Amino acid sequence: MKRRTMLGALGSAAVVGFTGCLSDDETASPDSPSPSKTNSPSPSKSDDLVVSGAGDYPHPIRIDNSLDHEVSLTITVAREGTQLYQESHTVTERSDVVVAGITKESLPEDSRPVSVTASDSSGNDTSVNVSVSDCLGNIVFYFEASETLESTYSIC
């Protein structure tokens, strides 16, 4: 009899814990095993080369905005003439933000080169051509004191 009471209590605690994790814009459905955001896109497939948003990526794409005003940049990643990613990001003044990341540590030798470009609303752009490998670090877009858009990347 005590076993049934304990199992019932554990089941109730699990339901309460699960529903406590939902925010106002999330819903749980009896047909779905986990909560889902109702007004956000579904997550990217895990095999995507480039993923949007902040994260702990092997190769982060950062925007370092040292200016006194916010900036909006469109980041584009292409490989072998094919666009893999394009998204606009707005970064507040005096902040350094990871806006996306390249998720693969390394690729087959013949498909490692990618081009990462940032462009602003004025039509200014800058690009870096990098080879995706274990030694690739950050890809950074930043502004000079003259507000010129620049780019760099780190390797080991």
Side-chain angles (χ1 to χ4, degrees), residues 11-155:
S12 296
V15 169
V16 169
F18 174 72
T19 57
C21 293
L22 299 176
S23 67
D24 293 336
D25 65 343
E26 294 176 322
T27 58
S29 161
D31 299 332
S32 65
S34 62
S36 63
K37 287 257 188 203
T38 56
N39 56 353
S40 65
S42 60
S44 299
K45 297 181 293 185
S46 61
D47 61 347
D48 286 345
L49 180 66
V50 183
V51 178
S52 181
D56 186 20
Y57 305 116
H59 319 294
I61 300 171
R62 310 178 74 88
I63 299 174
D64 182 359
N65 180 11
S66 59
L67 303 176
D68 290 329
H69 56 84
E70 75 177 18
V71 295
S72 293
L73 297 179
T74 299
I75 306 295
T76 305
V77 179
R79 182 173 72 183
E80 299 174 352
T82 302
Q83 181 177 302
L84 303 174
Y85 172 86
Q86 184 173 52
E87 191 165 318
S88 293
H89 302 278
T90 299
V91 178
T92 59
E93 66 274 355
R94 302 209 178 276
S95 61
D96 182 3
V97 179
V98 173
V99 295
I102 299 174
T103 61
K104 301 283 190 222
E105 289 287 338
S106 61
L107 297 166
E109 268 192 59
D110 61 341
S111 65
R112 288 184 178 175
V114 296
S115 174
V116 185
T117 303
S119 57
D120 64 16
S121 59
S122 301
N124 301 315
D125 64 13
T126 182
S127 296
V128 292
N129 296 312
V130 297
S131 179
V132 179
S133 69
D134 295 342
C135 280
L136 178 61
N138 291 300
I139 299 166
V140 182
F141 297 100
Y142 63 98
F143 294 88
E144 294 286 336
S146 64
E147 297 194 17
T148 304
L149 179 60
E150 298 290 336
S151 57
T152 190
Y153 64 95
S154 61
I155 56 172

